[in-house]
Structures are given as C-alpha cells and as structure tokens.
C-alpha cells in the first residue's frame, strides 16, 4: 500500500509539473484563476514540484530510504493544502486550486504518518 501511495504521489507531482509547464496559461487559470504566464519564481516552484515528484517515486521504490524527503514533502503538502483552502474560502482561488489542495492535503497526512509511525524506528532518513 505505501509503495503505491508514494508512486502515485510522485506521478501526481510530475503530472502537475508537466501540465503546468506545458500549458501554463490554462493551468494557471485552473489553479489560481489568473489567465497569464508564470513569473520566473512560479516556474522555479513548478520545477521543484516535479523534482519532489521524482523523489516521492524513488521513495515508493525504496520504502526503507528517503524518509527525510517524505517528511519535508508531506509537511509542504500540508502547507499547500492550508494555503489553497484559505484562499478558496476567501474567494482568491478557484475550485480547481482547492481540489489540488485537497489532493496534496490527503497525501501530506499519509506521508507524515508513514514517516513518524508506520516506518518504524529503524528507518533510514536518507
């Protein structure tokens, strides 16, 4: 189950990165309600989303390693969930961004749970 979760989480991030980079105006409209190209900072953040996706996929292939990546990534996913949820309910983010935030929130909780509880004390952080 955990292997599938991390592979799915990796694919989730990689797909978001690829779609976001290849169809940035449309995806930015879906995610943030702005029909415009990304700024340089947003492009760098999108690349980090893809890099973390690769790291999650590697974590799925090697369950006993890379727990620091899962912990940091899980916490970041929770931050995205909170930010997108607050922005949605204050009218600053469309439904598409809220849905992506929910997906990240669910993954974030499961990633952190795995690292802190399910992996056990003998797990490798790197």
């Amino acid at each position: 189950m955990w292997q599938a979760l991390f592979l799915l989480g990796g694919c989730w991030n990689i797909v978001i990165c690829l779609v976001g980079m290849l169809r940035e105006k449309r995806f930015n409209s879906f995610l943030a309600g702005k029909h415009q190209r990304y700024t340089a900072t947003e492009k760098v953040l999108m690349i980090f989303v893809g890099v973390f996706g690769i790291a999650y996929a590697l974590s799925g292939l090697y369950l006993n390693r890379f727990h620091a990546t899962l912990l940091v990534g899980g916490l970041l996913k929770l931050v995205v969930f909170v930010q997108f949820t607050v922005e949605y309910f204050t009218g600053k983010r469309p439904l598409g961004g809220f849905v992506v935030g929910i997906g990240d929130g669910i993954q974030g909780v499961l990633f952190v749970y795995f690292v802190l509880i399910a992996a056990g004390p003998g797990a490798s952080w790197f």
Side-chain angles (χ1 to χ4, degrees):
M1 175 185 121
W2 293 111
Q3 184 175 22
L5 171 71
F6 301 137
L7 290 172
L8 178 67
C11 289
W12 171 273
N13 274 45
I14 291 167
V15 166
I16 286 177
C17 172
L18 291 175
V19 171
M21 294 300 278
L22 297 174
R23 304 286 300 178
E24 62 184 284
K25 278 187 179 179
R26 184 177 297 264
F27 191 68
N28 204 10
S29 177
F30 169 78
L31 196 62
K34 299 182 276 186
H35 194 69
Q36 62 190 26
R37 291 199 164 297
Y38 290 131
T39 64
T41 302
E42 290 169 327
K43 285 184 180 183
V44 169
L45 288 173
M46 194 59 68
I47 291 168
F48 276 119
V49 167
V51 169
F52 265 92
I54 293 168
Y56 301 149
L58 286 173
S59 297
L61 295 175
Y62 305 101
L63 283 178
N64 60 343
R65 302 197 58 199
F66 308 118
H67 292 164
T69 302
L70 291 174
L71 181 61
V72 171
L75 293 173
L76 288 173
K77 283 182 172 288
L78 293 173
V79 168
V80 168
F81 166 71
V82 170
Q83 177 185 351
F84 282 20
T85 300
V86 168
E87 289 177 354
Y88 174 73
F89 285 109
T90 57
K92 297 178 184 174
R93 186 162 301 273
L95 180 62
F98 180 59
V99 170
V100 170
I102 289 173
D104 271 355
I106 292 168
Q107 291 175 46
V109 167
L110 293 172
F111 283 19
V112 171
Y113 174 82
F114 174 79
V115 171
L116 298 180
I117 296 169
S124 171
W125 286 91
F126 301 103

